[in-house]
Amino acid sequence: MKLFVGLGNPGAKYAHNRHNIGFMALDRIAEDHQFTPWRSKFQGQICDGTLAGQKVLLLKPATFMNLSGQSVGAAVRFHKIPLDQVTVFHDELDLAPGKLRLKQSGGHAGHNGLRSIHAHLGADYRRVRLGIGHPGHKDAVAGFVLRDFAKVDQNWLAAMLTGIGNGAKHLVAGDGEKFMNAVALQTAPPRSSKTTKAAAQKSPEPAAAPADRAPAPSPLQKLLDKFK
């Protein structure tokens, strides 16, 4: 069994916060792949389904971010899931909005949800780092992550979540590159070949019209020219 964990805070108040992008990612996977309805277990909300022929459990801890490890630890111990089969989706300040990176093990970089998981399980799990950008100063971080995504964020956010839903089967199959490509196709789609071809074959600018010829001299002008 694979375990996908999305980090966030429970309740409608936090549902659209930047800090809850991990919850949003799991909601999209569950919706796109017809997982079971969400239900309460392991101090969180869980649902399950099949991806790439493998059983996958989705978990959204309801312990609030700082205690996420309690919920994740309970699920891991109950199902005896090896840590290398656990993937955590979380917000990442150090990535630009819409950027996504995979990481296997490593430090928690001050993220309170990861810090809690480290304390309960150690560091040997995989992370999907979901870029939300940085407010510019560390003193502004708490307010930034606990505010809703702005209107200007909606396009890249929707594209990223679509890519995650499309690529989830590759993540389960262990093909991180294909997963990343599925997201990139949504967040940074290639230019249309038709558009590129049309631009290359643009009609040349029309040639400049030749200068008008001087008018033929009149008979009077011819006569005057003889006496010059």
Side-chain angles (χ1 to χ4, degrees):
M1 175 184 284
K2 306 278 188 180
L3 174 63
F4 282 4
V5 178
L7 296 186
N9 289 309
K13 176 182 177 181
Y14 303 101
H16 303 291
N17 285 184
R18 293 181 177 92
H19 223 16
N20 273 43
I21 194 171
F23 278 14
M24 297 175 195
L26 262 57
D27 284 337
R28 188 56 183 265
I29 292 171
E31 179 181 352
D32 286 358
H33 299 281
Q34 292 79 53
F35 276 47
T36 63
W38 292 97
R39 59 192 185 276
S40 297
K41 196 172 183 179
F42 306 126
Q43 301 178 65
Q45 292 291 308
I46 66 168
C47 68
D48 57 82
T50 301
L51 287 170
Q54 299 189 55
K55 179 75 174 290
V56 181
L57 179 69
L58 306 184
L59 169 65
K60 297 188 294 185
T63 53
F64 286 91
M65 185 68 79
N66 293 5
L67 300 176
S68 298
Q70 293 181 8
S71 175
V72 180
V76 166
R77 288 188 292 271
F78 181 86
H79 288 289
K80 298 180 173 61
I81 303 172
L83 276 189
D84 62 1
Q85 302 301 304
V86 176
T87 301
V88 177
F89 294 75
H90 67 90
D91 57 304
E92 178 57 68
L93 289 163
D94 293 330
L95 287 177
K99 297 295 183 182
L100 178 151
R101 295 288 184 272
L102 291 177
K103 182 178 180 180
Q104 184 67 46
S105 68
H108 54 66
H111 190 291
N112 288 332
L114 299 183
R115 189 197 305 273
S116 179
I117 295 173
H118 274 51
H120 285 264
L121 296 171
D124 296 330
Y125 56 91
R126 181 168 57 179
R127 306 91 188 272
V128 179
R129 303 164 64 210
L130 308 172
I132 61 170
H134 197 286
H137 194 281
K138 64 179 182 179
D139 292 342
V141 166
F144 179 74
V145 299
L146 292 176
R147 284 197 296 269
D148 288 356
F149 281 105
K151 186 175 181 180
V152 71
D153 295 320
Q154 297 308 312
N155 287 342
W156 69 256
L157 177 60
M160 174 183 274
L161 295 177
T162 297
I164 289 170
N166 292 345
K169 59 186 178 183
H170 302 306
L171 195 59
V172 168
D175 196 330
E177 185 175 349
K178 282 189 177 179
F179 171 70
M180 297 279 288
N181 287 341
V183 176
L185 282 173
Q186 299 299 320
T187 57
R191 295 177 63 185
S192 166
S193 58
K194 291 182 179 179
T195 302
T196 304
K197 186 176 180 180
Q201 296 180 347
K202 284 179 69 176
S203 300
E205 294 293 329
D212 292 336
R213 293 180 178 178
S218 65
L220 178 60
Q221 184 64 47
K222 288 181 181 180
L223 181 62
L224 290 172
D225 288 343
K226 287 182 179 182
F227 293 97
K228 286 183 177 179

